[in-house]
Amino acid sequence: MELNDANLQTLTEFLRKTLNPDPAVRRPAEKFLETVEGNQNYSLLLLTLLEKSQDDVIRVCAAVTFKNYIKRNWRIVEDEPNKISEADRTAIKANIVNLMLSSPEQIQKQLSDAISIIGREDFPQKWPDLLTEMVTRFRSGDFHIINGVLRTAHSLFKRYRHEFKSNELWSEIKLVLDTFALPLTELFKATIELCQTHANDVNALKVLFSSLTLISKLFYSLNFQDLPEFFEDNMETWMTNFHGLLTLDNKLLQTDDEEEAGLLELLKSQICDNAALYAQKYDEEFQPYLPRFVTAIWNLLVSTGQEVKYDLLVSNAIQFLASVCERPHYKHLFEDQSTLTSICEKVIVPNMEFRSADEEAFEDNSEEYIRRDLEGSDIDTRRRAACDLVRGLCKFFEGPVTAIFSGYVNSMLTEYAKSPRENWKHKDAAIYLVTSLASKAQTQKHGITQANELVNLNEFFVNHILPDLKSSNIDEFPVLKTDAIKYVMIFRSQLPKEQLLQAVPLLISHLQAQSTVEHTYAAHALERLFTMRGPNNATLITSAEMALFTEQLLTNLFKALSLPGSAENEYIMKAIMRSFSLLQEAIVPYIPTLIGQLTQKLLLVSKNPSKPHFNHYLFESLCLSVRITCKANPATVSSFEEALFPVFTEILQNDVQEFLPYVFQVMSLLLEIHSNSIPASYMALFPHLLQPVLWERTGNIPPLVRLLQAYLEKGGATIAASAADKVPGLLGVFQKLIASKANDHQGFYLLNSIIEHMPAESIIQYRKQIFILLFQRLQSSKTTKFIKSFLVFVNLYCVKYGAIALQEIFDSIQPKMFGMVLEKIIIPEVQKVSGIVEKKICAVGITKILTECPAMMDTEYTKLWTPLLQALIGLFELPEDDSIPDDEHFIDIEDTPGYQTAFSQLAFAGKKEHDPIGDAVGNPKILLAQSLHKLSTACPGRVPSMLSTSMNAEALQFLQGYLQAATVQLV
């Protein structure tokens, strides 16, 4: 693509179309951009637009498109095409910093993100001058430019907060500190002086305070891994100024907005974070400064109001106290009873209250409320911080703190009892307090795993939680109902089973609550209870115990999906999936009605897939319906195909990329259920599955390979007879996969199925070419994974076509090639093969080479006979990997089944491991003994003499054992 006006004009038109709400206009435009993004200069055209376009909307759109393009394509992945040419990469790095600094803020933010994405890959090795180019801009005195640099540096360095320690990371941080720490400190001091100079100029203060906040964030990132020498030497400068800023109160920077945090709050909350970092990690060096920070932060807490805009500040300030109070040598600061009472009274209790802002979120923004409360993204909420402080204080003062709070809990519950309608928030706070007091350790999988002995959880459940769950009006006091459901959920490992069983029907009725939060929590609680383990690794709650409630459970779950706000509620869908898995054949009578509802839902969401988790659980539920019903009656597979194929066809025709890997998995599951023939509806689809475009997307590869394997297994002969012209296409897929290190094993899965299921005559003409391709790959890049797969394939070929055929095909490629493969690959590497089926294939294949290949007995290959036998005995006797995968019912589906690159494996579409040898060989060791016996009868004396000359004693002993077990001997 040339950098010219015509191309700029075309790009502008397509960018404008991508903003169109009508999918018929938007989708083709997105597709067009996807097809041209690999062209040279595409990225430079975008940069030209965002710099020079007259239309601000197009400028921002170009900036966002550019950032997303960089995000997708900058990283160079081995075996995958590099979509950005070297010339473009160099041009982007040469211009982007200048462009970012001279752009308006909206565009600056996008370019700043793009720089940090590029920096993550290229800095410092491939972009050594990035930092110096940025640092020189500090001298410009223009804070629009300075803030651009600070923002970029922040997005570049913030990964230091969560990277694992490594020498590479240390040397990068050292380089950054050498270039950046001094200028940053000078800028910090200069900015504070400017704040004093411009103390009465509100506009100047706004810019300066946003700089100070960014500088404070950079301080946090640069100090996170370890205390750098530079900052230790300059601690006085930083801490004195941080303390000064904490106690500063500038009337001009106070905002009237009750919701949005102002600059002053943002800066102070970052300083609380910085102080907590030093108090936790570098307490010795920080000790001289600690008392004044404790005082300043305590005063802040006591004087800050309840408005939402202070939430981040208050929670960070409380987190600071929490991190200080659990360090043994700050214990004395909190020992005094009056101090503890004061903290409880003035900090913890007020910040546990359910405020009107929380109530609004509960009612009007349920998704955000659930994310904060249930998924733990509430790190910066007051309640969460107060809860952490309670936990911190309980570490050394569990008795006194529990006593102080018990008083509060009782008085709150008494207030509630006087007038529930007026005082329900008192009960909410009491439950929250009990929860934070009782929970010492918690995991996502089991809820609370360790509880405070001083709190009687069962008694509290019976007296205060059960009455709310049993209340006949499920829509009254929805917040308290939600609290009660959450109590059951988080203390599920502490409450006795009979109480959980008592709760199940009550939770089922709460699925009908109008409140989104309430019915979502009910679904989530049921799903969690269904994954609890009982004795013998089975589920704690059994299908039999659910018999009375099965119909109500399924009815209410599906009804809940039609409640306002829950059409794509992932918690409900996950509960449906888990219920199916728990109830197994008990769901069969209901499937005819439910499958219609599931396919209807699938059709709707496929129009615009926006909730990855919901969609994942929806497909899992479909798989379960198919598996459970067809297990009971395989003939029902055709009614599932009738229900699902119309929707699948639409998804394939509209190329709904997110759903294709799922559709292929469900189709494999359906096809695998058929007895040995392929229905015509599948054969019609076969040619489409070989289209190269489908194989370009990495997420499609595993499910497509599995689907092709199912085609081959059920109809290798049909394909050979009615679609012989498609065999080269099938082998073309194999060739593409084998060339990639990431996907070569998938290529072997396909190849093994071709060898196993296709009639020999249909592939005879391609065999030699297949081996040549494999040898080329072996020469160019020989990885352990490739070797293991290669060994399994070679031995499968031997099992299928015989040892003579294997030796002949090798030697036809190059004389003596068979011996080279044995000596260089099979003998030294066979030990690496893992997996029961894989080992069995190799054992049977090698046994055939040893005993059914005349060339092994009387040519130069004979010297390899004993080493090969020894390698086989090693394969039998060396330790086997015996880890057993978790039963699929308990698998917690990946929390982030990402759409784009990752392949979202459906746990319940699980494929049974296939053994191509099957019952023909029960025990490969016995087979070896019998085959050696047969060989020795054919050429008496040869086998014992070969064994006695060069076989190691230990291997011989094992071999004797096999012969005895098979009751045969060598002659």
Side-chain angles (χ1 to χ4, degrees), residues 590-603:
Y590 306 101
I591 288 299
T593 32
L594 298 182
I595 197 73
Q597 296 182 46
L598 288 170
T599 43
Q600 204 45 46
K601 186 58 83 177
L602 178 58
L603 191 59

Side-chain angles (χ1 to χ4, degrees), residues 417-444:
K418 284 182 197 163
S419 171
R421 194 155 295 286
E422 303 298 312
N423 297 337
W424 62 266
K425 286 185 183 177
H426 287 283
K427 181 168 183 179
D428 168 80
I431 296 174
Y432 205 88
L433 251 178
V434 169
T435 306
S436 53
L437 262 180
S439 49
K440 279 183 164 178
Q442 184 169 8
T443 68
Q444 193 66 39

Side-chain angles (χ1 to χ4, degrees), residues 47 50 63-71 74 92-93 96 100 107-121 127 130 152 155-156:
L47 288 178
L50 70 85
V64 173
T65 307
F66 174 79
K67 180 194 74 180
N68 290 335
Y69 165 77
I70 293 293
K71 198 173 183 177
W74 193 272
I92 289 169
K93 287 191 284 198
I96 191 167
M100 183 268 296
I107 293 173
Q108 194 179 67
K109 281 182 174 152
Q110 300 298 332
L111 291 179
S112 170
D113 284 351
I115 292 174
S116 69
I117 295 162
I118 298 171
R120 206 171 304 144
E121 300 300 322
W127 201 0
L130 170 64
T152 307
S155 55
L156 201 55

Side-chain angles (χ1 to χ4, degrees), residues 435-469:
T435 306
S436 53
L437 262 180
S439 49
K440 279 183 164 178
Q442 184 169 8
T443 68
Q444 193 66 39
K445 202 164 186 175
H446 305 293
I448 302 295
T449 52
Q450 202 184 345
N452 178 341
E453 313 289 317
L454 306 172
V455 180
N456 187 332
L457 292 169
N458 290 352
E459 195 181 297
F460 193 83
F461 174 78
V462 172
N463 295 339
H464 303 290
I465 299 294
L466 210 49
D468 282 341
L469 288 175

